[in-house]
Amino acid sequence: MKKKRILIIEDEESIAELEKDYLEMNGFLVDIETDGSRGLEKSRDDLYDLYILDLMLPGIDGFSICQSIREHSDKPVLIVSAKKDDIDKIKGLGLGADDYVTKPFSPGELVARVRAHLGRYETLTGKKEENHMVEIRGLKIDKTARRVYVDEEEKILTTKEFDLLTFLAENPNHVYSKDELFRKIWGMDSVGEIATVTVHIKKIREKIEKDNSNPQYIETIWGVGYRFKI
Ligand code: CA
């Protein structure tokens, strides 16, 4: 998954660095701009997935930056300010910020809000990046190349084995009956037996499991079906 890029526009360097450290620890890419005008300039690149904006800045203030971002982008904007009044003002001006955090705040809280807004943005815009790689405990499925690796060693699967494994791996922790799997992978109109599913699961296990009697990936739920372990 591509890392999300965040722009922090904040003139108090200690605060900016603290935010950056926490966000980076949580897997985000972070740039800091301590000057309003330069921050505004950077925000125009449309390179960022989310903006964290202080209000009182040298150069151009956060109000104007927020307004300018909204003219070209609907990416989440989080306002961080020491003054409750400023937050009321920005709400009053209807500048379209997505969230407000008052200083001092806990970095953990900020990270949680960043995550929530990125998630909400992706859901709203349907811009959730399709993940072409499924990776679980040494098992790697490359959906684009339709290749499967276990501990970096390629395993050759047939088309239906690949489809079945990928379907289960992308919907982990959910029990599917043989009947459901047959309909999903082979299609409603397919001629065949539900036992085909059992045969394919067995073949997949022979290829990807170290010990077939104790499968690490696809579990058999007796009397119900199969479940991909996470
Ligand atoms: Ca400031």
Side-chain angles (χ1 to χ4, degrees), residues 17-196:
E17 288 296 337
L18 180 72
E19 293 172 353
K20 183 177 157 103
D21 285 350
Y22 266 79
L23 289 163
E24 284 181 345
M25 272 194 293
N26 284 278
F28 297 103
L29 295 171
V30 182
D31 290 338
I32 294 176
E33 198 48 77
T34 53
D35 175 83
S37 320
R38 284 200 306 269
L40 176 67
E41 205 58 45
K42 257 198 174 142
S43 72
R44 291 206 172 110
D45 294 344
D46 210 19
L47 189 71
Y48 298 95
D49 299 295
L50 183 140
Y51 301 90
I52 296 177
L53 199 54
D54 179 28
L55 288 176
M56 291 305 130
L57 293 160
I60 295 171
D61 69 21
F63 299 99
S64 313
I65 298 174
C66 185
Q67 197 165 24
S68 152
I69 291 172
R70 274 296 164 264
E71 281 164 12
H72 65 88
S73 164
D74 57 354
K75 299 283 173 61
V77 177
L78 257 88
I79 303 285
V80 173
S81 175
K83 285 197 270 173
K84 174 82 177 53
D85 294 355
D86 285 343
I87 288 177
D88 290 340
K89 186 173 163 196
I90 202 154
K91 280 184 188 167
L93 290 170
L95 294 179
D98 295 273
D99 206 352
Y100 313 89
V101 180
T102 34
K103 294 177 190 170
F105 54 87
S106 90
E109 168 74 14
L110 183 75
V111 172
R113 293 204 192 190
V114 164
R115 276 195 199 292
H117 284 287
L118 287 171
R120 200 181 55 90
Y121 179 81
E122 287 185 342
T123 311
L124 280 178
T125 55
K127 280 182 188 160
K128 201 157 209 139
E129 275 173 50
E130 216 198 317
N131 211 345
H132 296 292
M133 234 5 148
V134 183
E135 280 190 79
I136 302 159
R137 284 176 284 112
L139 172 71
K140 202 151 94 182
I141 304 172
D142 181 339
K143 286 167 62 189
T144 313
R146 292 183 67 89
R147 288 180 147 170
V148 176
Y149 303 85
V150 178
D151 298 331
E152 306 302 322
E153 190 188 323
E154 185 171 5
K155 306 288 173 182
I156 309 298
L157 271 66
T158 65
T159 304
K160 292 298 180 205
E161 288 167 5
F162 181 89
D163 292 343
L164 184 56
L165 174 64
T166 306
F167 175 76
L168 287 167
E170 285 193 307
N171 298 279
N173 219 18
H174 182 119
V175 185
Y176 291 96
S177 69
K178 289 173 192 172
D179 193 53
E180 280 177 289
L181 291 172
F182 187 76
R183 278 187 280 118
K184 284 191 193 294
I185 307 303
W186 280 265
M188 287 289 210
D189 308 326
S190 292
V191 183
E193 302 253 352
I194 285 168
T196 309

